[in-house]
Amino acid sequence: MLCVSCEQYFSTIDRNKYIRKRHARSRNYVSESDVYKLESVPLDFGDYHPLKPITVTESKTKKMSRKGSTSSTSSSSSSSMMDPLSSVLDGTDPLSLFAAAADPLTATASMDGIRKKRDKDDNSAVGSDFEQWSSKRSEILSRYTTTEKLSINLYMGSEKGKTTTSGSAVSEKVRTRLEELDDLEEGSQKELLNLTQQDYMNRIEELNQSLKDAWSSDQKVKALKIVIQCSKLLSDTTVIQFYPSKFVLITDILDTFGKLVYERILSMCMDNRVSLSDNFSPETVNDTAKETCLNWFFKIASIRELIPRFYVEAAILKCNKFLSKTGILECLPRLTSVIRGIGDPLVAVYARAYLCRVGMEVAPQLKESLNKNFFDFLLTFKQIHGDTVQNQLVVQCVEIPLYLTLYSPAIDWILQCIAYRAPEVLLTEMMERCKKLGNNALLLNSVMSAFRAEFIAARSMDFIGMIKECDESGFPKHLLFRSLGLNLALADPPENDHLQILNEAWKVITKLKNPQDYINCAEVWVEYTCRHFTKREVNTVLADVIKHMTPDRAFEDAYPQLQSIIQKVITYINDFSLLFSVEKFLPFLDMFQKESVRVEVCKCIMESFIKHQQESTKDPVILNALLHICKTMHDSVNALTLEDEKRLLAALINGFIKMVSFGRDFEQQLSFYVEARSMFCNLEPVLVQLIHSVNQLAMETRKVMRGNHSRKTAAFVRACVAFCFITIPSLSSIFTRLNLYLHSGQVALANQCLSQADAFFKAAVSLVPEVPKMISVDGKMRPSDAFLLEFLCNFFSTLLVVPDHPEQGVLFLVRGLLNVIQDYTWEDNSDDKVRIYTNVLHLLSAMTQETYIYHVDKVDSNDTLYGGDSKFLAEISKLCETVIAQILDHLKTLGKEETLKRQSQLALCFFNTILAHGDLRNNKLNQLSVNLWNLAQKHGFADTKTMVKTLEYIKRRSKQPDMSHFTDLALRLPLQSRT
Amino acid sequence: MGTALDIKIKRANKVYRCGEILSGVVVITSKDTVQHQGISLTMEGSVNLQLSAKSVGVFEAFYNSVKPIQIINSTIEMVKPGKLPSGKTEIPFEFPLHVKGNKVLYETYHGVFVNIQYTLRCDMRRSLLAKDLTKTCEFIVHSLSQKGKLTPSPVDFTITPETLQNVKERASLPKFLIRGHLSSTNCVITQPLTGELVVESAEAAVKSIELQLVRVETCGCAEGYARDATEIQNIQIADGDVCRGLPIPIYMVFPRLFTCPTLETTNFKVEFEVNIVVLLHDDHLITENFPLKLCRM
C-alpha cells in the first residue's frame, strides 16, 4: 500500500516538476528558544566540583517537551545522592573503620585476632622500619658472583674412616647409628664438580625441593640429612668470592627446614583442632609434641661436625619455645660462643650473621647476644691477617681488598641488628671499639652502612678523619666514602660542616684513578652537593665528573651511574632556567652517547620539566636546551619504535610546546611553531598539537583585535591558516585530518578568511571518499561508519553558516558533499546513508529559514546573502526532494522479511524528522507522513509505547497557535494495537 | 592384614622409674571378629652380657656368652580365650614396677657388650590355623635419683708436648700450649658436659678439636673379666685454625639410651670417659682422657 502511495508521490513530483512548494516549516528560533530553554537557576561555582558529592543543584524544565529537540536535556543532575566512592572513603579506610567500630564486648573472634596481631606488632621489638633480610638477599646474590667452577660435595657416604680416630674399636652398632645420621642414601657419595654458578644455584634449589619432598613424604630423617649436608657446604671456602651468595642460598634451605619443623610440632599441639595462639606457654604443649621436639634436639646435638650442628640447631631455635620459656634465652648465648670454635674468620662471621638473623626473628628483645656476637667478632678480627687466611688467599689468587669486601654483608647485618632502635650510647661504644682495632676500614664501612644516618651525619667530620687514617692496602677507600655519602644523602650533617665535608670528601674522590670506583663515589656525593649547595658547586662537581669520565670513553661503562646523577640533579634543581645556566649540564648530557640511554635521560628531564614548570616560558636558554633535548627524543624514533614509546615521547614534546609562550609577540610564537614543525615532523601527535596551537593563536589574535582585523593581523591570521592547511595533509590518520580540516575551516571562517575556509571544507569533502570501511582504533580494527556519521553531522552544522562562493553555484559545498555521500560505497545492510540523508534534511530545513539559528560574527551567511530569495529556496526544495526520494528508495529495498524491523525503525525516524522540520500543511508531505506512520506499524515491529507518546505529542502540539493542522493529522494516524 | 596388635604406653617418652605404675593399652584392630585362645602381657627386664672377641677367643666369645641376668619378669592374662568384636578394641593394663628380693632396676642402657633392656610383650594365642600374634614394645627405666651423691669436681688441664705420654719422637712435635677446664667430671646425665678450652699457642695450625665420649664396659664371668672401651659419639667443638687465646666452649649432651649412670655390680660395670682430641694440620693427634662419673638426679 505504502509503496504505491510513494510512487504516487513521486509521480506527482515528476509531473509538477517546476511547481515547487516549501517543504520546510518556517521557524522562529528566538521565540522557540524562549519557550523551551531551561529556567536558569543560579549555580554556586564556589565549591562546585563534578567529583564532589553532589548537593542539590536543581534545574527546572518547563513541562513542555518536544521530541527531537536537544534543548530539553537537563544539564545537571538533580540528585542529592552521595557519591558512592567518596562515602566509602570518607574519613578512614574500611579496615580501620571496622576496627574502630568493634568494641571489646561485641568484637568477634576474628576481630580479636586482628587486635592481637596489632598489639603484637607494637610489643615486638622489630617494626616495619627494620630492613628485612629478604631485601638484602637479592643484593648479595647479584653482587657476589663468580665465573670460576664450583663443586658440591655431598658426602652421602658414611664417615667410616673418621670415626675411628681414637683408635678404639668402634662397634658395628655405633657405626650404624652414626651412619643413620650421616647417610643420605645408603653408601652413595656425590661429588659434583665443574659447576657454573647457575648450575650451582640450580642444584641448591633442587636440594631445597627434595627437602620439601622428603618432608611431605614423611621421611624426616632424610630431610635432616639433606639439611646437614647442605650446611656442611658452608664450611667449604673454595671459590671464596662466591661465599656470601652461597650463604644466602643455603640459609634459605635452613629457613625452610626450621619452618617445617616448627609447623609440624605446632600441629602436634593441636588439641581438638584448636591450634595454639602465637604466644603460647610451654605448659600448654602436650607431651607428644614435647617429646618430638626433644628428639630433634637430641638428634642435632649428636651431629659430629661443628658447622652443620651449629646451623641446624640455629635453624630450629624457635622450637625451644615448646620446651621452656627460657629456652631461647639460654640457647642464644651458648650458640654465640659455639661459633668461637669456627676457625675460618669468614665462615665464622657468616655464622654470626645467621644467628643474629634467627635471633632477631625469634626473640628480637634479646639484644645481649647480638652485642656479644659483634664483640666476639672483634676479638677474632686479627685472624684476618693471620697466616692461615693469607695462605688461602694466595692459593685462590684473591686480593686482600676484595677479600675484605666479602665480610661486608655479614658485618652490615650484625651491626644493623645491633643498631636497630639502640640507644646512642651503645652506638658510640661500638664505634670506639672499632676505632681501637688496626685497619678498621672494614668495620668503619659496616658501621656507616648499618647505623642510623642521623648518627653518622652528625659525626661526619670524625668519620672523614677516620677514613683518612685507614690503611691504604686494606679495604677500598672509595667504598668508605661511598657509604658516608649514602648517609649524608639521607640525613643532614651540622650546618657549619657542610662545605668542609664536601671539600674533604671530594679531595679524595677526585684522586681516584679507576673510573668505576670514581663514578660509584661521585654518584652518591652528587646528591649531597645538590642538597646543600648552589649551582656553582654543582657545576664544579659535574665538571669534575666530565673530566674523569671522558678519557678512554670511560662513560660508556657508567651509564647507570651517570643517569642517576642527572636524576639527582633534576630532583633538586626544579628551576629550569637555573638548571640550564649550570654550564656543565649540557656538556654532561653529551656523555650519553648511546642512543637508548640518551633518550631515557631526555625523557627524565622532560618529565621533570612538565611536572615542575608552572608558568609558560620564553626564556631562550630553556627553549634552546629543551628543543635540543626534544629533538634528541624525536630523532630516536624509527620504524621499529613501539607505538607506546612514540605516544610517550609525543606527550612529552607536546607538554613542552604547550609551555612555550611569547606573550603578545604572536609572530615569534608562530615562527616557533614553524620551527617545531620542522623539527618534530615524525611524530604525528606533535603535528596535531601544533595545528591546534596555531589555530588557538589565530583565535587569540582575533580576541585581541576584538574581531576587527587590521591589515597586519589579517595577514598574520592568514599565515596561521596557511600553516594549518599545509600541515594537515602530512598526517596519516584520516579522521584526524577530517576533523582538523573542519576545525581549521571554522577558525578560518571566524577570522573572515572565507576563501581559505572554503578550501578547508573542499579538502574535507574530497577526503570523505577515502575513508576506509575499517579503521584501527587502539590496535583493533573497527568499522568506521560511526566515526564518519559523527563527523558528517558536525560538518553539516558548520555548513549552515558557510556562505556560498560567488563564483560557484548555490550550495556548492552541500551539493558536493551530497555527491560524495551518494558515491561512497556504504556497507551493505547498513542504514547509515539514510541516517545521513535524514540529517541533511535537518540542514536543508534550517537553511530555508529567514534568519539562521546561529551565525559567525562578521560573516554574512546565506540568509543575508540571498535574503530569502525564492530561487534559492526552490533550489533547496529541489535538493530536499532528491534526498527524500533517496530515502524512500531505500525504504522500499527494506521490504524483505528479514529487514522489516529496520524498515519500521527508519520509517519512524523519518516520520519524526518530517514532524519536526517539515511543513505539514503541504498535503503531499502530510500524506507521506501518514504513510510512514502506517509503514512503521505495518509489520508489528513498532514499539507501542513510542507510538503512543508520539501521538500524544502531536495532539499537544496541535493546541499551539498555527498548529491546528496537527489535529487533523492526529486523526489520520491510527494506533495499531498489539493484539 | 587381618588383625593388628599394638601396645600403647601411656607416657609419650615411655620413661618409668622403680615404684611407679607402668600403664597403657593394648590395641587390637580387626575387620572381622577375632577368635583367640587368650591374650597375655609379659613384662621383662634383663641384662645381656657379651664377651668381646678381643678379650677371649672368637669361639669362646660365640659360645660363652654369659647367661642373661633377669631383673624383672611378670605375666598377666589379659583376656580369657574367646572372641573379640570387629573394629578397634582397647584393653588397658597396669604393671607396678617392683622388684623381688635384693634385685635392682638398673637404668636402660644400650651398649656393645652390656645391654640393659626392658620390654613389654603381648601374645595372642590362636588356634592351629591362624598364627599366634606377638607384639613387643620397649619401655625405658630411669634409675631413682641418687641424692646427695653429686659433688662438683672441676678439673683444670694443660696440654703441652711435655705433658704427653706415648710420644715416640718428642723432638719432632710442634710446640703448643692448650689450657682448659671441665666444670665437673661428676656429671648429671641430663645436663651437658661443659667447660672451656683455650688454644694459647700452637706452632702448627689446628685442624679440628673434638670431644669423644667413650664407654668402658667390664663383664665378669667364670674365666675372669673383660674390659672394653668403645666410642659412643664424637663431637667436634672446633673446626679449622681457631683464634689463639679465645676460650672455646666445651659442650656435649649425653645421648639418651647410650649412656646411663655409672654402674658397678658384681657381674658387670659400665663406666664413661671423655677424650679431648686435638688434631693438628700436620696430622699430629693429641688426646687427653678424663674419666667421668655419671649420675641421675
Side-chain angles (χ1 to χ4, degrees), chain A residues 662-680:
Chain A
F662 290 90
R664 294 292 285 267
D665 192 348
F666 289 156
E667 286 186 5
Q668 181 147 22
Q669 186 88 34
L670 184 61
S671 65
F672 169 76
Y673 289 142
V674 172
E675 193 188 349
R677 181 179 61 186
S678 66
M679 274 180 153
F680 307 126

Side-chain angles (χ1 to χ4, degrees), chain A residues 434-702:
Chain A
C434 297
K435 265 193 210 170
K436 278 181 201 146
L437 290 166
N439 190 359
N440 52 13
L442 169 64
L443 294 172
L444 209 53
N445 187 47
S446 294
V447 165
M448 285 192 286
S449 47
F451 285 11
R452 284 189 289 271
E454 297 80 31
F455 179 86
I456 308 292
R459 294 165 180 70
S460 306
M461 285 313 292
D462 295 350
F463 274 99
I464 289 185
M466 283 189 277
I467 294 173
K468 278 187 181 162
E469 283 162 26
C470 285
D471 185 6
E472 284 291 338
S473 66
F475 195 81
K477 258 189 193 179
H478 63 93
L479 290 184
L480 290 170
F481 273 104
R482 188 182 143 84
S483 303
L484 183 60
L486 284 173
N487 280 301
L488 292 177
L490 294 174
D492 297 337
E495 182 80 39
N496 298 334
D497 293 347
H498 280 182
L499 187 62
Q500 206 186 345
I501 292 171
L502 182 65
N503 280 336
E504 293 288 346
W506 205 265
K507 224 187 279 170
V508 181
I509 295 170
T510 194
K511 278 182 199 142
L512 291 169
K513 294 259 161 39
N514 181 338
Q516 273 301 324
D517 296 348
Y518 171 81
I519 196 68
N520 281 332
C521 253
E523 177 203 346
V524 173
W525 280 87
V526 163
E527 185 157 5
Y528 174 73
T529 317
C530 293
R531 252 167 96 105
H532 300 292
F533 298 98
T534 60
K535 125 192 172 188
R536 203 181 117 240
E537 286 80 1
V538 175
N539 193 37
T540 318
V541 168
L542 290 184
D544 196 56
V545 175
I546 295 174
K547 202 178 97 197
H548 274 82
M549 300 312 288
T550 316
D552 299 330
R553 300 177 70 80
F555 51 78
E556 282 179 347
D557 301 322
Y559 284 137
Q561 291 93 330
L562 293 174
Q563 227 173 321
S564 121
I565 289 180
I566 287 283
Q567 231 145 20
K568 279 167 190 159
V569 171
I570 55 179
T571 324
Y572 284 98
I573 307 183
N574 291 333
D575 180 351
F576 274 73
S577 55
L578 183 67
L579 179 67
F580 289 120
S581 66
V582 174
E583 284 155 36
K584 291 292 177 184
F585 186 73
L586 289 178
F588 194 93
L589 287 186
D590 287 339
M591 283 201 290
F592 296 100
Q593 297 197 349
K594 190 174 160 199
E595 194 180 44
S596 58
V597 186
R598 200 176 166 82
V599 171
E600 274 312 305
V601 173
C602 290
K603 275 200 253 176
C604 279
I605 297 173
M606 286 317 293
E607 267 160 25
S608 160
F609 176 78
I610 290 166
K611 194 169 150 198
H612 295 296
Q613 188 73 20
Q614 302 290 340
E615 290 161 5
S616 44
T617 177
K618 59 173 180 178
D619 181 343
V621 178
I622 297 185
L623 292 191
N624 269 331
L626 289 184
L627 269 180
H628 175 72
I629 287 167
C630 287
K631 177 95 178 112
T632 311
M633 296 200 296
H634 169 265
D635 291 351
S636 74
V637 173
N638 57 31
L640 296 176
T641 313
L642 296 174
E643 278 304 314
D644 275 350
E645 175 77 4
K646 280 194 211 166
R647 216 185 340 257
L648 182 69
L649 293 177
L652 290 173
I653 297 176
N654 283 347
F656 164 60
I657 290 173
K658 282 186 211 159
M659 290 312 285
V660 175
S661 162
F662 290 90
R664 294 292 285 267
D665 192 348
F666 289 156
E667 286 186 5
Q668 181 147 22
Q669 186 88 34
L670 184 61
S671 65
F672 169 76
Y673 289 142
V674 172
E675 193 188 349
R677 181 179 61 186
S678 66
M679 274 180 153
F680 307 126
C681 54
N682 282 336
L683 285 171
E684 286 201 6
V686 178
L687 293 181
V688 172
Q689 172 63 40
L690 284 171
I691 291 168
H692 282 304
S693 295
V694 170
N695 276 333
Q696 203 189 351
L697 192 61
M699 293 312 280
E700 200 70 26
T701 318
R702 181 177 178 273

Side-chain angles (χ1 to χ4, degrees), chain A residues 163 165-166 168-169 171 174 177 287-288 291 295 298 301-307 309 334 337-338 340-343 379-380 383 388, chain B residues 12-13 112 210 212 215 229-244 246-249 251 253-254 256 258 285:
Chain A
T163 46
T165 41
S166 66
S168 59
S171 74
V174 175
R177 192 177 62 79
D287 284 348
T288 326
E291 187 60 23
N295 259 332
F298 271 108
S302 67
I303 296 174
R304 201 190 87 85
E305 282 176 84
L306 174 66
I307 290 170
R309 190 171 63 241
R334 182 170 61 74
S337 59
V338 161
R340 290 179 170 195
I342 300 178
L379 287 176
T380 58
Q383 269 184 297
T388 319
Chain B
N13 58 5
V112 186
E210 286 154 22
Q212 188 183 36
R215 51 168 105 73
T230 47
E231 181 187 277
I232 303 172
Q233 68 176 14
N234 194 329
I235 297 290
Q236 190 184 35
I237 58 165
D239 181 17
D241 198 13
V242 290
C243 190
R244 306 288 185 266
L246 194 67
I248 295 164
Y251 183 91
V253 176
F254 294 110
R256 297 188 291 189
F258 303 101
L285 188 102

Side-chain angles (χ1 to χ4, degrees), chain B residues 189-238:
Chain B
I189 197 164
T190 51
Q191 301 295 317
L193 172 75
T194 55
E196 265 183 351
L197 180 142
V198 187
V199 181
E200 296 284 3
S201 65
E203 271 184 0
V206 178
K207 200 172 179 182
S208 174
I209 303 178
E210 286 154 22
L211 297 176
Q212 188 183 36
L213 182 63
V214 174
R215 51 168 105 73
V216 182
E217 292 161 314
T218 314
C219 302
C221 63
E223 288 86 23
Y225 71 94
R227 189 173 189 274
D228 293 283
T230 47
E231 181 187 277
I232 303 172
Q233 68 176 14
N234 194 329
I235 297 290
Q236 190 184 35
I237 58 165

